[in-house]
Amino acid sequence: MSMTSPSAVYICADSGVPVFGEKGCSVHVQEMLGAFLEEGLEMRLIAQRLGGVPGGQIARARLSVLPPLAAPDVAGRETSALLANRDLEAILSHCGAHRAEFLYERYSLWSYAGMEFARRVGVPGLLEVNAPLIDEQLEHRGLVHLAECREVAHRVFEAATHLLAVSEELAAWLDAQPGARGKVSVLPNGVSPSRFVPNVAPAQVRGLGGMVIGFLGTLKPWHGLMTLLEAFAVVRQQRPDAQLLLVGDGPERARLAARAEELGISSAVHFAGAVKPSDVPSWLASMDVAVAPYPPMESFYFSPLKVYEYLAAGRAIVASRIGQITSVVQDGVTGLLVEPGQVAPLSQALLRLSADAGLRQSLGCAGRSWVLKHRTWKSSARRVRALAAESRNLEVSIP
């Protein structure tokens, strides 16, 4: 196999992340990959699951695909994912990765070969950590080979040159893991200014008129959408023209539709389904107010991409006062913060914004200005390059 050496390698060995798909994790991969390309790097993407075809500039990345996990049961898929380290090692050995500026990997449960390869050949290895995956797997999906999974985490954390957590809360957890101490930095999510340009035409939705309250994301229990429905029902009592637009799909959709029916608001609740990342700006442009109604959580370690995208789209935001959101949304300046999981404060904030177009505009403008100044994928890519250069005692020339 003959391959041109890349100047950097991006690895995503997580079968739950379709790198060219529509999920938030997919957008994260696409945006970081695009930012590296914008930096002028020749990128090789090594992925387990594609979920679509690349569009735009990320189509310029060279692509290697890991073998599919064909086993029908959980234990078999875990074993198959562990064995895929051999395939990853082979791809890295043949693509000239030992000459790369750095290897960048999105942490997944069973992958360790990338960071160990980087350490062995003397290339900086940077591991992006988005969640305590073992804890999530145990709580939501089940894990058969727990001891082996913990061993993989230890190996990959120890081999990485730098560990990049998406939030301060996650960084604190990560720093306490074996092999990780002293190597952890925070690298929050960001936005691409070229994706969220001003004056985008709104998506056309039948029956959508009046005041539009919106949500973007996967319809899962930890997004607090039942609270949003209850609050919206209160809003409708004073604003009969108000509409609720839910952009995204997920396992909660049937329950949400049933609850909307019970509340007598189903005609005003619109399910857009999953949309392409390229279409997200037009759907956000359809909203007057965008909501992130997270419920109370013992550990909120997320860096909510939706909040960054709401800001970039210039929407007025109502979000729960929790975790990283409190450092991203300045209450009364770039959005309104409310107590998590409570219907009354949320409905009051929505009614306040529905009655004050000037406030919506000022919050939207201030939020967009803040996020474009402080949280872009381009600045994240430059920070990764700087960390990689620092570990090699080099000064990187950034255009």
Side-chain angles (χ1 to χ4, degrees):
M1 182 164 42
S2 175
M3 299 184 183
T4 304
S5 296
S7 50
V9 178
Y10 190 125
I11 302 167
C12 181
D14 192 334
S15 63
V17 180
V19 293
F20 301 135
E22 298 160 348
K23 298 167 70 174
C25 54
S26 309
V27 173
H28 195 154
V29 173
Q30 292 163 30
E31 293 284 20
M32 277 302 288
L33 183 62
F36 288 138
L37 288 161
E38 270 189 38
E39 284 291 290
L41 296 172
E42 294 289 332
M43 296 299 300
R44 175 165 293 279
L45 172 64
I46 303 174
Q48 170 65 243
R49 181 180 168 196
L50 301 185
V53 295
Q57 66 173 345
I58 62 173
R60 291 195 284 115
R62 297 184 179 88
L63 178 63
S64 298
V65 183
L66 294 164
L69 309 181
D73 54 48
V74 174
R77 285 196 296 276
E78 290 177 0
T79 301
S80 180
L82 195 55
L83 291 173
N85 281 287
R86 300 176 184 172
D87 301 286
L88 177 55
E89 167 79 27
I91 292 170
L92 290 168
S93 297
H94 286 85
C95 77
H98 61 287
R99 292 189 288 272
E101 184 177 314
F102 60 85
L103 267 64
Y104 187 88
E105 179 165 10
R106 184 185 175 97
Y107 167 54
S108 58
L109 286 171
W110 302 103
S111 177
Y112 60 83
M115 291 299 103
E116 291 194 344
F117 176 91
R119 182 174 61 179
R120 187 169 66 254
V121 302
V123 171
L126 297 101
L127 188 70
E128 173 195 292
V129 181
N130 293 272
L133 292 184
I134 295 177
D135 295 347
E136 284 191 347
Q137 194 76 1
L138 286 169
E139 182 176 354
H140 300 296
R141 304 174 194 92
L143 191 55
V144 176
H145 298 101
L146 176 58
E148 292 85 348
C149 199
R150 285 178 171 155
E151 175 60 23
V152 168
H154 187 184
R155 288 178 67 168
V156 74
F157 293 162
E158 190 169 66
T161 311
H162 291 285
L163 296 161
L164 304 171
V166 294
S167 69
E168 294 284 354
E169 294 78 4
L170 189 61
W173 169 85
L174 186 56
D175 196 54
Q177 302 307 302
R181 183 168 294 279
K183 298 191 294 185
V184 182
S185 301
V186 176
L187 191 70
N189 282 338
V191 297
S192 172
S194 62
R195 188 161 158 248
F196 292 93
V197 297
N199 303 317
V200 174
Q204 297 296 314
V205 185
R206 179 177 294 179
L208 200 61
M211 170 82 180
V212 179
I213 298 164
F215 168 88
L216 169 71
T218 308
L219 308 184
K220 289 185 174 178
W222 54 84
H223 284 152
L225 291 168
M226 283 298 177
T227 301
L228 177 57
L229 269 189
E230 303 282 346
F232 177 67
V234 175
V235 170
R236 283 277 291 183
Q237 293 172 9
Q238 295 187 37
R239 286 293 303 261
D241 66 330
Q243 308 289 313
L244 180 61
L245 175 61
L246 303 177
V247 180
D249 208 348
E252 283 286 280
R253 178 168 177 161
R255 288 186 64 233
L256 290 166
R259 184 59 182 146
E261 192 72 36
E262 290 171 358
L263 291 167
I265 56 174
S266 59
S267 64
V269 178
H270 307 267
F271 292 91
V275 303
K276 296 177 183 176
S278 57
D279 293 337
V280 163
S282 64
W283 284 98
L284 294 185
S286 305
M287 304 174 186
D288 296 296
V289 179
V291 188
Y294 288 98
M297 296 185 202
E298 186 176 342
S299 176
F300 189 93
Y301 47 80
F302 310 104
S303 179
L305 183 61
K306 66 172 61 56
V307 173
Y308 290 97
E309 296 194 337
Y310 291 166
L311 291 167
R315 299 300 91 187
I317 296 175
V318 179
S320 296
R321 184 180 283 107
I322 189 170
Q324 191 181 84
I325 293 175
T326 59
S327 64
V328 173
V329 177
Q330 188 178 354
D331 191 26
V333 178
T334 59
L336 299 181
L337 295 177
V338 297
E339 292 308 306
Q342 296 186 21
V343 172
L346 179 56
S347 60
Q348 289 164 11
L350 293 172
L351 283 167
R352 180 184 172 192
L353 288 175
S354 72
D356 193 338
L359 179 60
R360 294 199 303 271
Q361 183 173 12
S362 67
L363 294 177
C365 289
R368 177 174 164 81
S369 176
W370 182 88
V371 78
L372 296 186
K373 181 177 181 181
H374 297 286
R375 294 285 188 276
T376 65
W377 294 115
K378 186 173 185 176
S379 63
S380 296
R382 290 185 170 188
R383 183 143 181 246
V384 168
R385 292 189 74 189
L387 285 170
E390 179 184 296
S391 68
R392 302 179 77 163
N393 296 318
L394 296 174
E395 286 191 10
V396 64
S397 176
I398 297 174

